[in-house]
Amino acid sequence: MEANLTRILLVVLTLFVSLGFARAEPLSATDKAAVQQVITGQLQAFAADDAGAAYGFAAPIVKFSFPTVDVFMAMVKQGYQPVYRNEGYDFGENYVDGLGRPAQRVRIRGVDGKTYEANYSMEKQPDGTWKIAGCVLVLIPGLDA
């Protein structure tokens, strides 16, 4: 119990510390393409049931919160079913999220016939690669198939 509380406090602290950094600049065309490639890679890994590859696209903050592939996949299957299994997706606009991170909107058609917007927060790694730092999934009412 104490270890879980410590982990949660560290995640919250990390988020607050990140608020002190400069806000993200608009993405270059190269970075936009790289971000979309990372998201596509993870969606393809989910579709292929390649849990290790899907987990590999996650940023360190996500891996801290979900420290094993199995824990990560359980979270995805429970809370992000349209991301895990879908009938297609389209990229929307890039923007800056509430924490100042570059983000990407993705419209997803779920296997349930409903349409969702997945808002991916991204994090550029020290080696220049992009990783997924979070995803907020929202049902878009009125667009059911």
Side-chain angles (χ1 to χ4, degrees):
M1 176 73 172
E2 189 173 315
N4 287 338
L5 181 57
T6 301
R7 177 168 292 178
I8 291 168
L9 289 174
L10 285 172
V11 169
V12 170
L13 179 61
T14 301
L15 292 174
F16 281 118
V17 168
S18 70
L19 289 173
F21 292 100
R23 296 202 47 92
E25 296 295 319
L27 292 177
S28 68
T30 301
D31 282 336
K32 284 180 187 179
V35 161
Q36 290 180 3
Q37 210 169 23
V38 167
I39 295 167
T40 296
Q42 189 177 62
L43 291 170
Q44 289 173 341
F46 286 143
D49 283 320
D50 189 344
Y55 190 64
F57 291 104
I61 188 74
V62 174
K63 290 181 176 180
F64 181 80
S65 298
F66 305 97
T68 69
V69 171
D70 291 338
V71 171
F72 173 75
M73 289 305 297
M75 176 273 300
V76 170
K77 289 176 183 178
Q78 182 178 10
Y80 293 87
Q81 190 63 37
V83 171
Y84 177 63
R85 292 287 188 260
N86 62 74
E87 293 182 350
Y89 57 91
D90 298 300
F91 288 101
E93 68 181 352
N94 291 101
Y95 64 101
V96 176
D97 74 9
L99 295 176
R101 301 174 297 191
Q104 173 69 56
R105 293 187 202 286
V106 182
R107 186 169 284 192
I108 296 178
R109 288 172 298 286
V111 295
D112 60 1
K114 297 178 181 177
T115 302
Y116 300 83
E117 183 174 86
N119 295 289
Y120 285 87
S121 295
M122 305 299 295
E123 183 180 278
K124 196 166 196 174
Q125 303 305 296
D127 67 0
T129 61
W130 287 95
K131 298 284 184 178
I132 298 168
C135 181
V136 175
L137 187 64
V138 179
L139 174 66
I140 302 174
L143 296 181
D144 297 354

